[in-house]
Amino acid sequence: MSAFSTDVRILTCPQCGAPIQLGRQGGQAQCTYCQAPLVVAARDDAPLQHAASPLSEAERIEGLRAQAASFGSKRLPPEMLAVLAGGPLTPERVGPMLGVWRMYCQRASAGDFAAGDNAVLLTGVLSGHFAARAEDLPRQRALLESALDALRDPSQKQVLRCSLARASARVGDLASAQTWFAACDPRSADLQADTAYRVTYATLATAHGDFRSALAALGPSPTAVPIALPSRLQAGVLRANALEKLGDLTAAVAQLVEEARALDGGRAATPEIVEASPHLHLCPQSLPLARMQW
Ligand SMILES: [Zn+2]
């Protein structure tokens, strides 16, 4: 069983933060570290219920483009800026960040939409930190599933389900990846939910060697479909990989160079994205060539 198996529930201990495993149907458990009791319901794997969208596909894409153009203009609250300050997350900052994360999850679970957005952002930062070490994968899983339980908004839930699907694929558990992903909406009107869907669809298609589908989800070029800024490089690497594997090495190299130059920190982050997904064998020829040019 993988750390991201949908056959079980793995949640964060509300008292000490350790991962607690239960059956898929939920029930009662006790934290093995601090003995705190935990009672949870069965996980809800039903399709996420988005508000019925009266938008045509052209209107939906137009709305996503408008969101992409203004992305990142929202000001973050001071407690968030405090835990994010200091660059890449270090081990001694994990505890304080988990404290703020827990607070946002509690508020989101009471229906606070803005707190939900902040919970999604911190879940992403902490999830990336835990993903770096194999022994921390149960913590990554527990964090993602606990946040998924706490959030109420379907678009916010979709972002986390997509993270769980990609994490499952990363450990080779493609069946669980499909279960996490199956509840997601391919026609979300929310930019972050739509970007998560596209990047996850492309990731799973890549894992199956289906590079045409990966390219269809991401479009043929960096601006062909609206993508939320924090995912632009990841989408770019998946797109370049698909182009390379389909035989267009020239376009793959050109796009890697273009995006690495255009986006903040792109030269450092692009190889890191490749290294973080060894299971996908991304851009084996195009990345070395791109690095000589950027
Ligand atoms: Zn505990």
Side-chain angles (χ1 to χ4, degrees):
M1 194 195 75
S2 85
F4 298 92
S5 170
T6 46
D7 293 341
V8 293
R9 305 210 71 192
I10 303 181
L11 297 154
T12 298
C13 171
Q15 188 165 290
C16 77
I20 304 178
Q21 184 174 321
L22 301 96
R24 199 198 157 301
Q25 293 309 312
Q28 293 184 31
Q30 200 173 31
C31 175
T32 45
Y33 296 92
C34 77
Q35 274 71 53
L38 182 75
V39 183
V40 291
R43 193 178 53 244
D44 182 5
D45 285 329
L48 294 168
Q49 293 290 321
H50 295 250
S53 171
L55 301 175
S56 70
E57 182 63 4
E59 289 168 333
R60 184 177 81 90
I61 298 294
E62 193 182 324
L64 295 174
R65 279 202 194 284
Q67 293 170 59
S70 64
F71 196 87
S73 58
K74 197 180 61 176
R75 303 236 337 247
L76 295 173
E79 71 274 9
M80 184 81 139
L81 293 171
V83 291
L84 290 174
L89 188 54
T90 47
E92 64 275 13
R93 283 165 50 215
V94 168
M97 191 178 282
L98 278 170
V100 176
W101 170 82
R102 196 170 291 119
M103 176 195 74
Y104 284 137
C105 284
Q106 281 164 359
R107 289 187 191 168
S109 125
D112 181 337
F113 179 82
D117 268 352
N118 292 332
V120 169
L121 199 159
L122 284 188
T123 303
V125 175
L126 288 160
S127 168
H129 178 75
F130 291 142
R133 298 197 322 167
E135 59 266 42
D136 284 340
L137 294 184
R139 297 186 75 188
Q140 184 195 11
R141 156 66 182 276
L143 181 90
L144 287 165
E145 190 168 355
S146 292
L148 180 63
D149 262 17
L151 294 173
R152 293 288 162 263
D153 178 73
S155 297
Q156 293 169 350
K157 279 179 167 307
Q158 175 149 322
V159 172
L160 297 186
R161 276 199 165 264
C162 286
S163 295
L164 282 157
R166 294 196 304 276
S168 302
R170 191 163 165 261
V171 297
D173 185 354
L174 293 179
S176 293
Q178 194 48 48
T179 304
W180 292 118
F181 193 49
C184 296
D185 176 10
R187 291 198 71 241
S188 175
D190 176 85
L191 178 68
Q192 290 193 73
D194 187 67
T195 291
Y197 191 91
R198 289 179 190 279
V199 169
T200 306
Y201 185 97
T203 299
L204 301 185
T206 301
H208 284 105
D210 180 0
F211 304 113
R212 283 188 197 285
S213 293
L215 209 51
L218 300 172
S221 67
T223 52
V225 295
I227 300 278
L229 187 59
S231 299
R232 270 277 292 270
L233 279 171
Q234 195 178 3
V237 169
L238 288 164
R239 187 187 301 107
N241 176 69
L243 289 167
E244 175 182 328
K245 305 275 167 76
L246 291 168
D248 194 347
L249 185 59
T250 309
V253 174
Q255 288 194 10
L256 284 175
V257 172
E258 182 189 340
E259 287 291 85
R261 285 177 180 166
L263 300 170
D264 213 20
R267 290 176 181 84
T270 303
E272 286 171 8
I273 290 168
V274 171
E275 284 159 24
S277 299
H279 62 299
L280 297 177
H281 313 291
L282 298 169
C283 303
Q285 296 182 64
S286 51
L287 180 63
L289 292 169
R291 291 179 93 158
M292 286 191 271
Q293 294 181 31
W294 76 42

